[in-house]
Amino acid sequence: MQFKHPEILYFLFLLVVPFLVHLFQLRRFKKEYFTNVRFLKALTIQSRKSSQIKKWLLLVTRLLFLTALVLAFAQPFSSTNESSKSQKELYIILDNSYSMQAKGKKGELLQRAIQELLENLPQEQNFSLLTANESFWNTDIQSIQKEVQNLDYCATAFELEPILTQIQARPSLNKKEILIITDGKGVTSKTLKTIKDKENITFHIPKVEQQYNVSIDSVFIRQTLDDFYEIGVQISNYGENSKAVSLGIYDQQKLVAKSMIKLNKQKQVFPFTIPKKAFHGYISIIDNGLAFDNTYYFSIGESQKTKVISIGEASKSTYLSRIYTNDEFEYQNSNLSQLDFTRLEVQDVIIVNEIDEISQALQTTLQSFAEKGGTVIVIPSAKTTISNLNSLLNPTKTIQYKSLNKTEKLITKIHFSNPVFKNVFDKQISNFQYPKTKVNFDFNYFGASILSYQDQSPFLQSANLGTGKVFVFSAPLNSDNSNFQQSPLIVPVFYKLAQNEEKNGIIARTIGNSEPYFVHTNSSKDGVLRIKNKKEQFIPVQQILNTKVKMDLGNYPKKDGNFEIFNNDIKIENCSFNYNRVESNPFEADQKWLSEYQQIDSINTFFDSIQTENNDSQIWKWFLIFAVLFLLTETAIIRFVK
C-alpha cells in the first residue's frame, strides 16, 4: 500500500490526545453524603463499573476515528499489474515560443511552467515532452531533469498542429493523455482539426498579468540622399502607455542616434538619418514589456549597382533609361538581333520589351535565368502570337495569355498589400490620375494582381519560377497604346520590380523564413558558405547559380543578431536576423475554441487527477467511510450506554 500524501501521516500523533483525556482523570468525583441506606453502596459500585466500560469504548472509537481520518487524507492506494497495463500514455506539449516570456503572477510563463513540471511530475511517471524545437520521447523526469531546467525560448512561433500530428502518428495500444501548456497564441479551432479524441486533451493556459508591450517591427530605407540614408522604423504599441520610450541606433556597438519617441498610435513610423555607408548594427528600445522584440538587427551593404538589360527596340525603351539611372543601376538596351546571350547570365533583371517573336533559344535562356533567382519582366507586343507568349510563361503554371482585347480600359486599382509596394506609399491612394490602355490581352491567372483595370482584370501580375520572379504586363506600354509612361505610377512600379534588397537595401531576415537567401559571389564548386558571429555559426543548404549562391536557412540561426557570411575564410558580406514579431501582442488570443476541451488552473491539479485515475484501488474512500462510522458509533455510545 502506498500513500499519495505520506506527509499527512505525521498527524497520527493526534492519537495521544484521547489517551490524555481518558487516562488522566481531568474531572474528579464529588462526594455526596446521603442518609444511611444500604442499597446506595451497591448502586455506586455498579455505576462505577458501567462508567469504566463506557470510557474504554469511547477511547477505542475515538482512536479508530482519528486513525481512519488521517489515513483517508493521506490517500492510500495500491497499484497492481493490471492497473499499470491500463494506464494512459502521457504527452506534454510545452509552448516555448517568445510569447511565453510574458509575466504572470509568479514570473515568466515558461519558467514557471518548467518549475511546476519539475515539482509535480511523479518520478516513476513515464511521459513524452515536446516543445517547438525539442522532443523527449518515452522518458521520465529524472532522466531529462537537466535538459528541462535548461529549456530556452524557440526563435520560431509556436505551431500546435505539427506536434499533435507527431503524437497521433505514434502507434500505441493505450489511450493517449495530452497536456498542452501554452498561452494560446497561434492556436485556433482550425489548428486543432486533426484531434480525434478531444476528451484526452487538457489545456493549461496561464493568465498573463502584463498587458503592455512595445515592439520594433521593421526597418526600411525611405529615401537615399547624397550622404545619408533616411530610414523608417516601424514600431507597434500594444496597450495604453503615456510615457515616452527611449530609442537608440547602434552601428557595431557605436551609438549613431538616440531619441525619446512618443507613441500615440498602435503602429507608427519614425524617420531617422544615418550616414550613407555600410551599416552593421541594430535598433534598440527600452520598455517594461516583452524583451525579445526590443532589438531589431539590420545590415546595409556597400552600394552595388543593379544590372538591368532590356531586349527590344531602343525607341520603345527610352523611358526605361530615365528610370534606371546610373547612380543605382547598370542599365543597357539591346535589339534582339544584336543580343549577346552570354551577357544575360550576369544580369539581375531582364526586360522583354515588346518583342514580336520570342525565339525558342531566348525562351529557354529566360526560363533558366528566372529559375536561378533572376527577375524577368515581360511587356507584350500587340503583334505577338498568344502561343508564343504562353510558351515562355508555361513553366510558371499560373499565367496564361488569352485573346487580344481592343477595348480601352482604365488602370484604377493598386494592390497596396502586394510586396512590390512595400514601403512605397505612406497611405493608400484612391483618386490618382488613371492611366489607360487601348489594346490589351486577357489573362487566365490564379493569384493576386499588382495593378488592375476598372473591371478588376489584371494589368500587372507576378508569378514564381524556380527561385526567381516573373512580372507580366497585359498590354504594350508604348505611347501609341498607353499613357502609362506619363503616369506617376511608372517610376515606383519599375523601380520596385528591379530593386534587389539583398544587394542594395536593408538586410534583415526573419528567423524561420522559408524564402531562399541569395548571395552574389563567384563561388567555386569546392567553396562552402558559412554564416557566423561570436556566439553561433552554421552551414546552410546551398546551391551555386551562375554569379550567386542560393541558401536555404531553415530555422537557423537559433538566436537573433548580426552575422557575417564567409566563403571558406574570406568574408563576403554582412547579414542580420530577427525573431518573428507575430507574438508581440501580449493580449489574450481568441479562445472560443477552448470551451470544447478540458481546462485546468494549475499543473499540480492535472497530475493529481492522472495519479488518481491510474490507481485501481482507492482505499482512502473506505477509510473515510470507516471514519464516519466510528464517529456515529461514538455518538451512539455517548447517548445510549449508561
Side-chain angles (χ1 to χ4, degrees), residues 17 33 59 74 85 261 273 322-323 346 363 420 428 439 453 459 468 493 517-518 564 588 610 629:
V17 176
Y33 295 93
L59 175 61
K85 291 179 182 178
I261 58 175
T273 56
R322 293 196 297 267
I323 296 173
V346 298
Q363 290 181 25
V420 169
Q428 294 193 9
V439 173
Y453 289 110
F459 169 69
V493 166
Y517 186 104
F518 293 96
E564 297 174 336
E588 292 184 2
I610 286 293
L629 291 176

Side-chain angles (χ1 to χ4, degrees), residues 462-524:
S462 66
N464 295 321
L465 181 55
T467 57
K469 282 279 189 180
V470 177
F471 297 96
V472 180
F473 287 87
S474 67
L477 301 185
N478 62 75
S479 56
D480 293 334
N481 185 65
S482 172
N483 62 349
F484 188 70
Q485 293 186 25
Q486 286 74 46
S487 171
L489 281 177
I490 191 169
V491 174
V493 166
F494 273 94
Y495 182 87
K496 291 293 290 185
L497 294 184
Q499 189 180 50
N500 190 329
E501 292 191 355
E502 291 176 351
K503 194 171 184 180
N504 288 316
I506 287 185
I507 303 174
R509 288 181 61 93
T510 300
I511 298 175
N513 187 348
S514 60
E515 293 183 2
Y517 186 104
F518 293 96
V519 178
H520 294 260
T521 179
N522 292 317
S523 178
S524 64

Side-chain angles (χ1 to χ4, degrees), residues 90 106 227 271 293 311 377 405 432 452 457 467 519:
L90 177 58
K106 298 181 180 180
D227 299 318
D293 54 13
I311 307 171
I377 302 173
N405 189 342
F432 61 95
S452 296
S457 61
T467 57
V519 178

Side-chain angles (χ1 to χ4, degrees), residues 142-295:
Q142 288 182 317
S143 302
I144 62 169
Q145 183 173 359
K146 186 176 180 181
E147 288 82 358
V148 173
Q149 289 174 335
N150 295 329
L151 272 177
D152 201 358
Y153 294 98
C154 177
T156 55
F158 178 66
E159 295 183 5
L160 181 58
E161 186 175 3
I163 301 178
L164 288 173
T165 302
Q166 290 183 57
I167 294 175
Q168 294 184 350
R170 291 180 68 86
S172 173
L173 298 176
N174 301 325
K175 289 186 176 181
K176 298 175 181 179
E177 185 77 26
I178 303 175
L179 171 63
I180 303 173
I181 306 172
T182 176
D183 58 0
K185 289 184 175 57
V187 182
T188 62
S189 55
K190 185 178 180 180
T191 63
L192 299 173
K193 63 183 179 181
T194 57
I195 299 177
K196 298 178 181 178
D197 190 358
K198 295 183 179 181
E199 294 181 356
N200 291 334
I201 300 288
T202 302
F203 278 91
H204 172 53
I205 300 184
K207 186 176 180 180
V208 178
E209 298 291 326
Q210 173 183 284
Q211 297 291 318
Y212 164 73
N213 186 43
V214 177
S215 167
I216 304 177
D217 294 338
S218 63
V219 178
F220 56 92
I221 297 177
R222 299 184 63 178
Q223 188 177 2
T224 302
L225 306 175
D226 292 337
D227 299 318
F228 296 93
Y229 288 119
E230 182 182 309
I231 64 173
V233 181
Q234 180 172 301
I235 295 182
S236 291
N237 178 33
Y238 303 100
E240 296 182 1
N241 176 42
S242 58
K243 296 181 180 179
V245 176
S246 175
L247 183 149
I249 303 177
Y250 298 83
D251 185 5
Q252 297 184 353
Q253 309 300 322
K254 181 181 178 181
L255 182 63
V256 175
K258 189 172 185 180
S259 176
M260 298 295 292
I261 58 175
K262 189 72 174 178
L263 303 172
N264 302 318
K265 303 177 182 177
Q266 182 175 346
K267 288 187 180 292
Q268 290 179 252
V269 175
F270 297 92
F272 292 90
T273 56
I274 59 176
K276 187 179 179 181
K277 61 178 183 178
F279 184 95
H280 193 47
Y282 59 93
I283 294 179
S284 177
I285 58 173
I286 300 174
D287 75 331
N288 295 322
L290 298 173
F292 80 95
D293 54 13
N294 287 352
T295 303

Side-chain angles (χ1 to χ4, degrees), residues 22 45-61 637-638 641-642:
H22 287 268
I45 294 172
Q46 183 180 356
S47 65
R48 285 182 179 177
K49 289 181 179 180
S50 300
S51 178
Q52 200 70 15
I53 294 172
K54 181 178 180 179
K55 289 179 180 179
W56 282 108
L57 288 174
L58 287 174
L59 175 61
V60 172
T61 55
I637 291 172
I638 294 173
V641 177
K642 303 297 182 180

